[in-house]
C-alpha cells in the first residue's frame, strides 16, 4: 500500500511538471477543466507567469492562488518573509517585488538561477511591473546599462512605470551628476516623479547635491547654490549642440517619430531606439563633458521627438520623503528647503549614528517656520536617532500639525536642560518611542502624554527607569489622559509589578490591539496562574480587542490559561494571539490545544507559536499542531534545542 501511494505521488508530480512544460499547448481551458482539488495541488508547480495568467479565471471559480504564491516565496526567501501575508494579493505583490529587482538588475539567488529561463523574459518583467507600485533606481556602475535599456529598447516598460509607480527608491553612493550613466537615472526619476504618479521618494544615499536636485522645483522654493552652479555650468550651450545619433540611426527629422510611434501601438513590445550621445565630438576629444542635469533638457535629450518632452515638462510634488544615511551636509540641504516645502506630508530621517543636538534644533527651527506659514501639510515625522529625550518635546512644540511621531532616542552625552515643558495641547494621534537610554525621564514622557488627549496609537520600547522605580506611572497616565487609545504596544519593559494598572487600563480604554512583548509579566507574580487568569478575564471584557500579543513573557506551562479567553458566554473576540518565544513545551501545547477544543474560539484564529521548543518531542508537537489547525492559521518556525543558551534565557 505504501509503495502504491509513493508511485501515485510520483506520477502526480510527473503530470504537474508536464503541465508546467506544455502549458501553452494545454491552454487555459485545459487547466481550468481540471477538478478543483487537482488545480490546488498544481498551483505550487507553475511558473510565475502561468500563475499570474490563471489567477483571474481561478478567482472567478472561487479558487485562490494564495498557496502558489506562498510556495514561491518560501522557495526563494526565509520563512519569516511569508509571515503576515494573509491574502492572495499580498503574497503575489511580495513575490513580484523581490523577483522584479533581481531579474531587472541581473542579481541572482538560487531560486532565480533555477528558474532563469522563465524569469529573464519581457513577459515576466511586464507581468511583475503591473503588480508593483515601487521602483528602485540603483546608481551603481553595473546598473547603468539596465537603466539605459529602459530608456531605449524597453521604453514601453518605462511608460508603464509612469502610470503605476507611486514610490521611487534611490540607492547609490554619492553621485557625480555630470556623468552620463547618472544622467540616465536622473531622467528616469524625472519621468516617474514629474510626468508620472510617484509622490513618495526614498533616498539611500548621502549626496547633498543629489538631494538638492530631487527637491528642486518639486514643492519647495529653496534653491541650492551648489546645484545652481552645476545646472548653469556652460549654460550658453543649452542642449548639446552636436547631439549626434550613434550606431548610424536616423536623425529626428528623418523618420524617428514614425518608427517610435509604431512601436508604441503595442505597449508590451520592446522598441529599438537610437542611442543618444551626451557628448559632442569636440568634447569627446577634449574629455570635457557637457553638464546636463536640468530635467527639461534631459527630457529633450532622451526623448527628442516623441517622448513626454513636447512642450513644458510638468513638475511633480513630493508628498512623502525618506532619507537614510543622512549626514550633516544633506541635513542642511533639507532644513534649508523645509520652510517652504508646503506639499510635504511625511518625513522620515534615519542615520546609522545619532544626530547632533544642533542638527535637531535646526530641524525644529525649520519645522516652526513651516508651521507658521499656515500652509504646512506635514503630519507624519520619524527621526532616528535623537541624542536625548527632551528633543522629542522640542520637535512637537515646533510643529503644531504633526499627528504621528516616531523617534528613537540614543543618549550619547548628558544634556543641559532646555526650557520647561509646555502645557499646550498637541494634536498627536500616533506616537512611537524606542529608547536605548540607561535611564528614561519618565516625567518628560508622561507630560507629553497628558498633552495628547487624542492619542490612538502608542508604541514604547526599551524604557529603563532608575532602580526602585516602576512603570505604574506610565500606565496610570494613559488611563487618566488617553481614553481614545486603541493600539498599545509596550516592549522590552518591566511590567511585572503593574498588573492592577494594566487591568484598570483595559477597563478605561477601548483597545483594539494590546501587545505586551518581553515585559517580564510573570516575574513577580506570586500566584502566576491566578494573576494570568485575572488578565484573561479583563481582556474578555473588552469587546473591541482583536489582537493580543504576550510574546517573550515566559508563559511556559501557564499557557493553558489563555484558552479561557474563549470560554463561557462572554468569549473574547481576539482573533490574533501571539504567544511566540514563551518556551512552551510540546506537552504544554498539546494541553492547550485540547482545552481549546473545549473552549472553541467563535471565529478563525491566527496563532503565532514561533520560537518555541517543538523539537523536544516532535511527535507530541505535531499532534498539538494538527489539533490547533482547524481553529485557524498556526504560525510555526523551527527551533534547535541544542542552542542551550537560548533555552536558558527563554526559561529564566
Amino acid at each position: 500500500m505504501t509503495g502504491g501511494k509513493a508511485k501515485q505521488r510520483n506520477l502526480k508530480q510527473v503530470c504537474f511538471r508536464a503541465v508546467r512544460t506544455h502549458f501553452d499547448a494545454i491552454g487555459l481551458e485545459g487547466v481550468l477543466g481540471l477538478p478543483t482539488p487537482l488545480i490546488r495541488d498544481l498551483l505550487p508547480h507553475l511558473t510565475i507567469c502561468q500563475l499570474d495568467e490563471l489567477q483571474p479565471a481561478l478567482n472567478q471559480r472561487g479558487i485562490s492562488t494564495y498557496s502558489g504564491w506562498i510556495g514561491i516565496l518560501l522557495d526563494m526567501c526565509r520563512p519569516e518573509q511569508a509571515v503576515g501575508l494573509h491574502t492572495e494579493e499580498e503574497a503575489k505583490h511580495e513575490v513580484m517585488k523581490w523577483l522584479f529587482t533581481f531579474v531587472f538588475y541581473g542579481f541572482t539567488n538560487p531560486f532565480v538561477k533555477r528558474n532563469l529561463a522563465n524569469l529573464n523574459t519581457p513577459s515576466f518583467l511586464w507581468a511583475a511591473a503591473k503588480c508593483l507600485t515601487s521602483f528602485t533606481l540603483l546608481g551603481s556602475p553595473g546598473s547603468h546599462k539596465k537603466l539605459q535599456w529602459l530608456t531605449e529598447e524597453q521604453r514601453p516598460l518605462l511608460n508603464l512605470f509612469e502610470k503605476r509607480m507611486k514610490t521611487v527608491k534611490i540607492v547609490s553612493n554619492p553621485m557625480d551628476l555630470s556623468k552620463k550613466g547618472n544622467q540616465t537615472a536622473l531622467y528616469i526619476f524625472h519621468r516617474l516623479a514629474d510626468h508620472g504618479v510617484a509622490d513618495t521618494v526614498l533616498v539611500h544615499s548621502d549626496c547633498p547635491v543629489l538631494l538638492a536636485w530631487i527637491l528642486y522645483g518639486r514643492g519647495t522654493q529653496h534653491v541650492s547654490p551648489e546645484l545652481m552652479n552645476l545646472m548653469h555650468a556652460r549654460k550658453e550651450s543649452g542642449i548639446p549642440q552636436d547631439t549626434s545619433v550613434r550606431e548610424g540611426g536616423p536623425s529626428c527629422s528623418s523618420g524617428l517619430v514614425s518608427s517610435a510611434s509604431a512601436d508604441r501601438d503595442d505597449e508590451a513590445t520592446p522598441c529599438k531606439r537610437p542611442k543618444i550621445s551626451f557628448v559632442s565630438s569636440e568634447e569627446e576629444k577634449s574629455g570635457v563633458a557637457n553638464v546636463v542635469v536640468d530635467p527639461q533638457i534631459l527630457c529633450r535629450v532622451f526623448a527628442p521627438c516623441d517622448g513626454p518632452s513636447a512642450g513644458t515638462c510638468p513638475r511633480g510634488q513630493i508628498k512623502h520623503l525618506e532619507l537614510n544615511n543622512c549626514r550633516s551636509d544633506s541635513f542642511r540641504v533639507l532644513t534649508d528647503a523645509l520652510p517652504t516645502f508646503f506639499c510635504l506630508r511625511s518625513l522620515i530621517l534615519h542615520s546609522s549614528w545619532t544626530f547632533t543636538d544642533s542638527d535637531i534644533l535646526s530641524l525644529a527651527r525649520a519645522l516652526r517656520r513651516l508651521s507658521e506659514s499656515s500652509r504646512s501639510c506635514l503630519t507624519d515625522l520619524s527621526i532616528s536617532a535623537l541624542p536625548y529625550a527632551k528633543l522629542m518635546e522640542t520637535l512637537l512644540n515646533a510643529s503644531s500639525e504633526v499627528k504621528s511621531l516616531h523617534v528613537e532616542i540614543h543618549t550619547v552625552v548628558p544634556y543641559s536642560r532646555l526650557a520647561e515643558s509646555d502645557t499646550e495641547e498637541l494634536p498627536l494621534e500616533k506616537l512611537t518611542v524606542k529608547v536605548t537610554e540607561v535611564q528614561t525621564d519618565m516625567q518628560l514622557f508622561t507630560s507629553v502624554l497628558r498633552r495628547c488627549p487624542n492619542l490612538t496609537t502608542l508604541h514604547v520600547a526599551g524604557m529603563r527607569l532608575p532602580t526602585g522605580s516602576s512603570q505604574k506611572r506610565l500606565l496610570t497616565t494613559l488611563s487618566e489622559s488617553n481614553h481614545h487609545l486603541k493600539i498599545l504596544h509596550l516592549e522590552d519593559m518591566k511590567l511585572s509589578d503593574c498588573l492592577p494598572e494594566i487591568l484598570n487600563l483595559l477597563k478605561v480604554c477601548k483597545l483594539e490591539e494590546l501587545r505586551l512583548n518581553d515585559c517580564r509579566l510573570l516575574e513577580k507574580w506570586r500566584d502566576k496562574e491566578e494573576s494570568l487568569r485575572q488578565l484573561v478575564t479583563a481582556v474578555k471584557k473588552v469587546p473591541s480587542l482583536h489582537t493580543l500579543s504576550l510574546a517573550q513573557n515566559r508563559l511556559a506551562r501557564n499557557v493553558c490559561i489563555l484558552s479561557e479567553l474563549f470560554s463561557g458566554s462572554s468569549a473574547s473576540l481576539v482573533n490574533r494571539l501571539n504567544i511566540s518565544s514563551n518556551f512552551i513545551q510540546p506537552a504544554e501545547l498539546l494541553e492547550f490545544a485540547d482545552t481549546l477544543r473545549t473552549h472553541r474560539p467563535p471565529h478563525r484564529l491566527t496563532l503565532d507559536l514561533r520560537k518555541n521548543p517543538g523539537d523536544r518531542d516532535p511527535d507530541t508537537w505535531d499532534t498539538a499542531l494538527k489539533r490547533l489547525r482547524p481553529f485557524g492559521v498556526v504560525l510555526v518556525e523551527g527551533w534547535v534545542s541544542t542552542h542551550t543558551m537560548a533555552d536558558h534565557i527563554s526559561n529564566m
Side-chain angles (χ1 to χ4, degrees):
M1 180 66 70
T2 303
K5 286 185 178 180
K7 290 180 181 179
Q8 185 179 13
R9 283 197 296 269
N10 291 336
L11 179 59
K12 184 184 287 188
Q13 300 295 322
V14 170
C15 292
F16 288 159
R17 286 195 293 269
V19 172
R20 171 189 171 112
T21 304
H22 304 288
F23 185 85
D24 290 338
I26 296 171
L28 282 176
E29 293 303 323
V31 175
L32 294 173
L34 295 172
T36 297
L38 203 56
I39 291 177
R40 290 198 175 101
D41 291 343
L42 170 66
L43 293 180
H45 299 272
L46 298 176
T47 69
I48 289 176
C49 287
Q50 291 166 358
L51 200 57
D52 179 60
E53 187 178 350
L54 276 170
Q55 180 171 315
L58 290 177
N59 290 164
Q60 289 182 355
R61 285 185 52 182
I63 302 174
S64 172
T65 57
Y66 175 80
S67 62
W69 296 114
I70 287 293
I72 293 170
L73 196 60
L74 293 175
D75 195 11
M76 68 178 182
C77 303
R78 291 174 296 181
E80 54 265 30
Q81 294 297 139
V83 174
L85 302 176
H86 303 295
T87 68
E88 179 183 65
E89 284 305 312
E90 287 175 344
K92 178 179 179 180
H93 182 275
E94 192 71 13
V95 168
M96 294 301 197
K97 180 184 72 175
W98 280 88
L99 284 181
F100 180 87
T101 302
F102 275 117
V103 175
F104 181 82
Y105 285 110
F107 302 147
T108 59
N109 73 353
F111 179 85
V112 173
K113 286 182 179 179
R114 293 196 308 271
N115 295 274
L116 191 60
N118 298 311
L119 295 175
N120 194 18
T121 64
S123 59
F124 165 73
L125 289 175
W126 191 261
K130 287 192 295 183
C131 296
L132 303 182
T133 58
S134 175
F135 179 66
T136 300
L137 267 173
L138 296 184
S140 60
S143 66
H144 291 164
K145 289 185 178 179
K146 292 292 185 178
L147 296 178
Q148 186 176 348
W149 174 70
L150 190 60
T151 65
E152 294 167 356
E153 288 88 347
Q154 283 295 329
R155 280 188 88 84
L157 199 57
L158 182 56
N159 294 337
L160 179 65
F161 285 0
E162 266 191 26
K163 300 173 184 177
R164 289 202 54 84
M165 300 303 173
K166 293 284 293 180
T167 300
V168 184
K169 182 178 180 180
I170 301 175
V171 181
S172 170
N173 293 321
M175 276 191 181
D176 181 353
L177 300 193
S178 64
K179 287 187 177 180
K180 177 181 175 181
N182 292 331
Q183 289 173 334
T184 306
L186 298 184
Y187 168 67
I188 293 174
F189 180 89
H190 168 62
R191 285 285 301 271
L192 301 183
D194 293 325
H195 295 280
V197 297
D199 60 8
T200 300
V201 178
L202 284 63
V203 183
H204 292 257
S205 171
D206 180 50
C207 183
V209 69
L210 173 62
L211 178 60
W213 184 89
I214 291 171
L215 299 181
Y216 172 67
R218 296 184 179 91
T220 175
Q221 299 169 11
H222 173 71
V223 176
S224 163
E226 183 181 1
L227 177 63
M228 286 300 99
N229 291 336
L230 182 62
M231 291 185 68
H232 291 300
R234 305 183 65 176
K235 184 179 179 181
E236 67 279 358
S237 64
I239 302 174
Q241 297 298 311
D242 183 14
T243 308
S244 58
V245 180
R246 292 181 176 172
E247 297 184 353
S251 68
C252 184
S253 59
S254 62
L256 184 59
V257 176
S258 60
S259 63
S261 300
D263 281 331
R264 286 202 310 276
D265 290 340
D266 180 6
E267 286 189 328
T269 304
C271 52
K272 183 72 173 179
R273 297 180 57 87
K275 296 182 180 179
I276 305 296
S277 171
F278 283 91
V279 186
S280 68
S281 55
E282 293 181 0
E283 289 171 335
E284 200 163 21
K285 293 177 183 177
S286 66
V288 179
N290 199 349
V291 177
V292 181
V293 297
D294 188 297
Q296 198 86 8
I297 298 176
L298 282 169
C299 233
R300 297 175 193 171
V301 170
F302 278 91
C305 301
D306 63 320
S309 58
T312 302
C313 290
R315 303 300 284 165
Q317 293 185 335
I318 296 175
K319 297 179 180 178
H320 312 279
L321 178 64
E322 178 178 336
L323 304 181
N324 285 277
N325 303 320
C326 185
R327 295 176 182 265
S328 292
D329 289 342
S330 294
F331 204 94
R332 193 174 302 112
V333 169
L334 173 68
T335 52
D336 287 345
L338 197 55
T340 56
F341 207 158
F342 301 127
C343 64
L344 189 66
R345 296 180 183 176
S346 69
L347 175 63
I348 300 174
L349 301 176
H350 178 75
S351 177
S352 54
W353 57 92
T354 304
F355 290 116
T356 65
D357 56 351
S358 60
D359 282 339
I360 301 302
L361 291 174
S362 68
L363 175 64
R365 288 191 293 269
L367 288 171
R368 186 176 296 279
R369 289 177 58 193
L370 177 63
S371 182
E372 290 172 348
S373 71
S374 74
R375 297 175 60 186
S376 173
C377 294
L378 184 64
T379 57
D380 297 351
L381 181 61
S382 177
I383 303 177
S384 55
L386 301 182
Y388 47 83
K390 181 66 179 179
L391 290 173
M392 174 181 68
E393 190 175 33
T394 302
L395 292 171
L396 286 172
N397 291 336
S399 184
S400 58
E401 291 80 20
V402 170
K403 294 184 177 181
S404 176
L405 177 66
H406 179 127
V407 295
E408 294 184 21
I409 302 168
H410 298 176
T411 299
V412 289
V413 292
Y415 69 92
S416 56
R417 292 192 65 84
L418 304 178
E420 289 300 316
S421 297
D422 203 339
T423 57
E424 184 180 353
E425 186 175 302
L426 295 167
L428 204 65
E429 296 176 1
K430 298 180 180 180
L431 177 61
T432 298
V433 182
K434 297 184 178 181
V435 191
T436 60
E437 293 180 306
V438 176
Q439 292 184 0
T440 303
D441 186 346
M442 177 60 77
Q443 181 177 355
L444 166 68
F445 191 66
T446 53
S447 69
V448 169
L449 292 176
R450 282 193 292 269
R451 296 174 60 195
C452 303
N454 298 315
L455 196 70
T456 61
T457 301
L458 177 64
H459 180 181
V460 183
M463 186 174 287
R464 301 287 186 271
L465 300 179
T467 303
S469 300
S470 171
Q471 303 286 0
K472 293 180 180 181
R473 188 174 175 185
L474 166 65
L475 294 164
T476 300
T477 301
L478 291 175
S479 298
E480 294 173 349
S481 305
N482 306 105
H483 293 173
H484 296 290
L485 198 64
K486 294 182 179 179
I487 299 174
L488 177 61
H489 185 179
L490 303 181
E491 179 182 3
D492 189 18
M493 296 167 58
K494 183 180 178 182
L495 299 180
S496 57
D497 62 339
C498 299
L499 181 60
E501 288 72 23
I502 295 173
L503 300 180
N504 186 57
L505 181 66
L506 287 168
K507 291 179 183 178
V508 174
C509 297
K510 297 179 180 179
L511 292 178
E512 296 176 2
E513 294 185 19
L514 176 62
R515 303 175 188 270
L516 304 175
N517 294 348
D518 193 15
C519 289
R520 301 158 68 179
L521 282 178
L522 279 64
E523 185 176 276
K524 289 188 176 181
W525 293 355
R526 291 183 178 179
D527 189 336
K528 293 179 172 49
E529 289 189 12
E530 179 56 30
S531 297
L532 187 57
R533 188 169 282 112
Q534 290 181 41
L535 179 60
V536 167
T537 301
V539 167
K540 291 172 66 175
K541 294 179 180 179
V542 186
S544 56
L545 194 71
H546 58 72
T547 298
L548 176 63
S549 178
L550 300 176
Q552 292 180 268
N553 279 294
R554 302 157 193 159
L555 297 178
R557 65 180 66 91
N558 299 292
V559 67
C560 294
I561 297 171
L562 294 181
S563 63
E564 296 178 16
L565 281 167
F566 311 109
S567 65
S569 57
S570 59
S572 172
L573 297 180
V574 166
N575 57 31
R576 295 188 63 85
L577 179 60
N578 183 352
I579 49 176
S580 61
S581 301
N582 271 297
F583 203 69
I584 299 169
Q585 303 258 14
E588 295 157 358
L589 184 66
L590 183 60
E591 184 181 353
F592 172 76
D594 288 338
T595 310
L596 207 61
R597 294 168 75 179
T598 304
H599 309 309
R600 296 184 67 89
H603 36 60
R604 284 182 64 79
L605 181 68
T606 298
L607 182 63
D608 193 339
L609 292 171
R610 292 173 296 161
K611 298 182 180 178
N612 282 300
D615 68 336
R616 293 291 182 89
D617 184 351
D619 292 338
T620 302
W621 184 263
D622 289 342
T623 301
L625 294 180
K626 288 178 182 178
R627 295 182 184 179
L628 287 170
R629 287 195 173 103
F631 303 126
V633 178
V634 181
L635 304 177
V636 291
E637 189 177 282
W639 170 287
V640 181
S641 289
T642 52
H643 296 169
T644 54
M645 182 57 68
D647 280 10
H648 170 69
I649 293 173
S650 296
N651 201 29
M652 285 172 59

